[in-house]
């Protein structure tokens, strides 16, 4: 699943496609900045998915990529690609709650895009943090089976940082409350 990068980083790296708060200009990008400072991440460019995927917002405007390729109402999602070392991957996995079933890291095919939005290079295998399979279908239903092309400023409006969310429920509990309120109440 990993993809070895020989260029500016001599240690094996995994290509990670980011689509939400880890991107430049968003609340969790500080972690990637720290990883780049220590040599544990390298920015590779702006990329988009080869297949259509649902990109939705959950509780507190948290973005979720759903592993439902080709779902009606989904789009080719635009994000950023980073080459990340094993040490950096451990930190990203912790942020994304891999062991707590918040997200799961799985393969995805992406291609670079130019400033004009055209493909400018070959597709490559990467990995992305998808909403955990235990609630992904419900998240898609809750969002009216309509996804975003990009998680931008408009989509992030109203995002609540983890430290500012209610602490009496776990994040998974917050997700289950969100998806159980199909009518939005």
């Amino acid at each position: 699943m990993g993809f070895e990068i020989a260029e500016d980083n001599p240690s094996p790296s995994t290509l990670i496609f980011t689509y939400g708060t880890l991107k430049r200009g968003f609340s969790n990008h500080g972690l990637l900045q720290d990883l780049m400072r220590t040599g544990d991440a390298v920015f590779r460019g702006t990329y988009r998915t080869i297949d259509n995927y649902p990109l939705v917002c959950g509780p507190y405007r948290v973005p979720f990529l759903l592993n439902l390729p080709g779902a009606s109402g989904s789009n080719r999602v635009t994000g950023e690609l980073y080459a990340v070392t094993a040490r950096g991957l451990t930190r990203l996995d912790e942020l994304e709650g891999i062991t707590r079933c918040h997200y799961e890291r799985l393969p995805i095919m992406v291609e670079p895009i130019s400033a004009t939005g055209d493909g400018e290079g070959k597709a490559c295998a990467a990995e992305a943090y998808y909403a955990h399979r235990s609630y992904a279908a419900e998240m898609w239903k809750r969002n009216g089976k309509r996804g975003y092309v990009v998680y931008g400023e408009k989509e992030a409006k109203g995002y609540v940082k983890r430290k500012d969310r209610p602490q009496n429920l776990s994040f998974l509990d917050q997700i289950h409350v969100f998806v159980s309120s199909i009518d939005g109440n």
Side-chain angles (χ1 to χ4, degrees):
M1 288 197 197
F3 189 85
E4 194 156 316
I5 304 295
E7 293 137 41
D8 15 21
N9 191 346
S11 61
S13 296
T14 300
L15 291 175
I16 297 293
F17 176 71
T18 64
Y19 56 83
T21 63
L22 284 167
K23 295 187 314 180
R24 294 172 294 172
F26 292 90
S27 63
N28 287 322
H29 186 67
L31 173 56
L32 277 170
Q33 288 175 313
D34 288 346
L35 295 177
M36 287 187 278
R37 273 192 290 277
T38 61
D40 289 307
V42 176
F43 176 74
R44 292 292 182 205
T46 303
Y47 279 66
R48 70 175 162 217
T49 60
I50 297 294
D51 294 322
N52 289 359
Y53 285 90
L55 173 61
V56 300
C57 287
Y60 311 108
R61 300 300 293 171
V62 172
F64 293 92
L65 187 65
L66 307 179
N67 192 16
L68 302 170
S72 178
S74 62
N75 302 285
R76 293 181 71 189
V77 175
T78 299
E80 298 173 352
L81 193 70
Y82 293 85
V84 181
T85 65
R87 185 170 59 183
L89 204 53
T90 297
R91 291 191 58 199
L92 288 172
D93 284 353
E94 175 59 31
L95 173 78
E96 300 294 1
I98 296 296
T99 61
R100 297 182 306 279
C101 298
H102 297 174
Y103 290 84
E104 50 190 344
R105 183 168 37 89
L106 300 168
I108 193 165
M109 291 296 293
V110 295
E111 70 176 359
I113 56 175
S114 67
T116 61
D118 297 330
E120 63 178 29
K122 293 185 178 182
C124 64
E127 294 181 2
Y129 291 97
Y130 294 91
H132 194 272
R133 70 189 77 180
S134 65
Y135 63 84
E138 290 83 6
M139 187 71 73
W140 187 224
K141 184 177 178 184
R142 170 65 171 80
N143 278 273
K145 296 187 178 182
R146 294 185 59 198
Y148 301 111
V149 172
V150 65
Y151 183 78
E153 286 182 34
K154 178 182 169 191
E155 294 75 20
K157 188 173 182 160
Y159 174 80
V160 177
K161 292 180 181 181
R162 187 175 297 173
K163 67 179 182 61
D164 297 326
R165 298 177 198 153
Q167 300 299 307
N168 61 327
L169 293 175
S170 72
F171 187 55
L172 273 181
D173 288 339
Q174 293 167 9
I175 289 169
H176 291 299
V177 168
F178 180 81
V179 298
S180 68
S181 61
I182 299 298
D183 63 355
N185 295 324

